[in-house]
DNA sequence: CTGTTAGCGCTTTCAA
DNA sequence: TTGAAAGCGCTAACAG
């Protein structure tokens, strides 16, 4: 149903209607119009006055001026989420969950990439609160962070007063290890994220625990960290493959690193899953389309986004929140990148 | 260099300093302080007064209140880019280019996903201009779009008064066709984007032209459209493979669809590149890590983002701009997904 | 039930 | 070189 705009020249940007216009046009005072439009519960207006104002506002397409509103009420009805890079698909999911929740509450969600925390200061006055998504932990949060604006750390914990929400990475990683162990693997390696992230070491710990709990050997040579990128995964995997003895299975900390791992295995002529199984944390559509399709755990990313917004809104309302570890159960998607080890 | 915040409770959000505080503290009038802080060229201040004000402002960490500024000046120093989905990596690049340019000009760039144009109205008063990235062309832009706020269409053209910037898709597609033709392919198919996008049909046209110019046959059965997703690419490719006669090479309209194509070829036991070459429009790191690594054209995505911001700024300044087709030369990345056709 | 008034924090004439 | 005053568009006491 291709609707076409008329190709006639659109009239020059005309100034949007002000509340004052609406008031005059309806023959009431501006304050009355304001009350009616805002459904002020404390006051009542005569139905007919009410109708008239509402009608005029609709006809004029009145929209309150955001700047004036913000100045007057010190509320912007906007939130923002700071993420290190838009290229990270996991954040796309988280953000989508957050956006939906925010909109339901009448907020716009602005995503800002590049996460240098200086950006935070430029945000002040434009938004009511900010979700600070994980970035390098060795950068440090300046003490001002969270001072000027309600802030919630996302996917990252830091000692101090800042509240946070993280996902239960351990559950996901453990599910992966369990799956591989069940298949009969006893020699499992881990392609980890960088040690200067919050998630990287957390997943490493979970991985080690998973092994120990099942009486499997923990070999540091089989745990190799790299950037959260294909390249990072590739290099980390290469290092594992150079070990004197190779594991028979790998747990990747991210789909991106898993794809790097697959490339490394291909270059080293190691067949997946015949000679090496690969399972990955996080599931995105891409995971099921690479060759071989990747066994993955699907984490409740959207839920995390949604929950983060809820918590942030609490913070904005001045209420206390406690740090949360989101505990939706991960879902294991078994695909052909994992199989029993070769004899 | 792990800086640690003291774990002491951070003092309760204290109200940020106002201009008035700065003025009082420096013993000048608020208007004087304003002029000095803004470097008002029309006025001169005594160096010592100047110093004093500047020093106090620094010490107090004075930041003008964004809402007040916006109300007073009707400028927000914020731009926004509306994109259909954050999961699209191409937009990550475009956005990065735009962000850098915007910041250089003193603007914040907010990305907003979900592109229903209604969102535009909620943006008014919060930003000075908006980059409207491609979405389905059959949705139609309501006549109000661009009326209340300077707007530039990105990667999409539409008849009417709205300005636009697009990339020279044709050049990229043609480069791909040229490469395949050079390898000796005479039977080339195209995994296209949806027909209700601006880019989809544009690339199809470029593809057909490329074939014709080289005297190669254009077979509609070999041109198959699907969503811009792995799944879409997969299905479209399946349709081509069901044709009575198969091509020997495929041009994919996007890395995502190319990956879907690779999966389809694998499932149909068609070896790449031995039995089928695959080349794709757009290059992202992922392209070189899949198996086999994808031959791709790298388009000047960041440049497009940057240029788009420049144009938008012109629009905001009230100047006219003409529609642009960004013409940075694409770069062909030859990788192992393409090879001469089998005899 | 509705109007008057003050003021959010800032810039910008206009005077001094 | 600086201060006084007005006002951006809106909401929220406070009167009436």
């Amino acid at each position: 149903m291709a609707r076409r705009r008329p190709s006639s020249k659109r009239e020059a940007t005309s100034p949007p209607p002000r509340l004052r216009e609406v008031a005059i046009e309806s023959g009431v005072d501006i304050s009355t119009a304001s009350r009616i439009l805002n459904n002020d519960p404390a006051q009542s207006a005569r139905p007919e006055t009410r109708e008239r104002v509402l009608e005029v506002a609709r006809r004029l397409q009145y929209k309150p001026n955001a700047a004036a509103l913000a100045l007057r009420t010190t509320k912007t009805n906007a939130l923002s989420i700071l993420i290190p890079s838009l290229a990270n698909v996991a954040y796309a999911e988280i953000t989508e969950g957050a956006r939906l929740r925010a909109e339901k509450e009448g907020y716009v969600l602005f995503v800002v990439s590049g996460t240098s925390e200086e950006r935070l200061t430029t945000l002040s006055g434009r938004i009511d609160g900010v979700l600070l998504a994980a970035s390098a932990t060795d950068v440090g949060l300046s003490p001002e962070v969270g001072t000027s604006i309600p802030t919630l750390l996302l996917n990252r914990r830091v000692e101090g007063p800042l509240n946070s929400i993280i996902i239960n990475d351990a559950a996901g990683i453990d599910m992966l290890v369990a799956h591989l162990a069940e298949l009969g693997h006893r020699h499992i390696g881990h392609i980890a994220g960088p040690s200067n992230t919050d998630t990287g070491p957390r997943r490493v710990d979970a991985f080690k625990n998973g092994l120990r709990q099942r009486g499997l050997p923990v070999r540091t040579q089989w745990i190799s960290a790299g950037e959260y990128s294909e390249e990072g995964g590739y290099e980390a995997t290469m290092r594992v493959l150079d070990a004197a003895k190779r594991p028979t299975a790998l747990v990747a900390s991210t789909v991106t690193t898993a794809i790097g791992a697959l490339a490394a295995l291909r270059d080293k002529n190691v067949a997946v899953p015949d000679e090496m199984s690969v399972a990955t944390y996080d599931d995105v559509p891409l995971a099921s389309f690479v060759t071989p399709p990747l066994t993955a755990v699907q984490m409740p990313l959207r839920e995390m986004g949604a929950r983060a917004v809820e918590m942030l809104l609490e913070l904005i309302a001045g209420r206390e929140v406690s740090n949360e570890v989101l505990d939706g159960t991960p879902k294991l998607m078994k695909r052909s990148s994992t199989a029993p080890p070769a004899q």
Side-chain angles (χ1 to χ4, degrees), chain A residues 169-180:
Chain A
D169 297 41
I173 293 288
D174 193 73
M175 198 167 263
L176 258 16
V177 173
H179 168 65
L180 292 169

Side-chain angles (χ1 to χ4, degrees), chain A residues 9 41 44 52 78 94 99 118 128 140 158 171 181 184 208 241 255 283 287 293 336:
Chain A
K9 200 74 187 169
S44 48
R52 202 156 14 104
I94 294 176
R99 197 200 100 210
E118 314 98 60
D128 297 328
V158 115
K208 289 181 180 167
L241 294 180
V255 174
D283 187 36
S336 38

Side-chain angles (χ1 to χ4, degrees), chain A residues 104-124:
Chain A
K104 198 185 280 179
E105 302 294 335
Y107 285 79
V108 212
L109 179 69
F110 289 128
V111 2
V112 177
S113 66
T115 287
S116 27
E117 274 108 12
E118 314 98 60
R119 224 171 298 286
L120 274 176
T121 75
T122 80
L123 253 36
S124 124

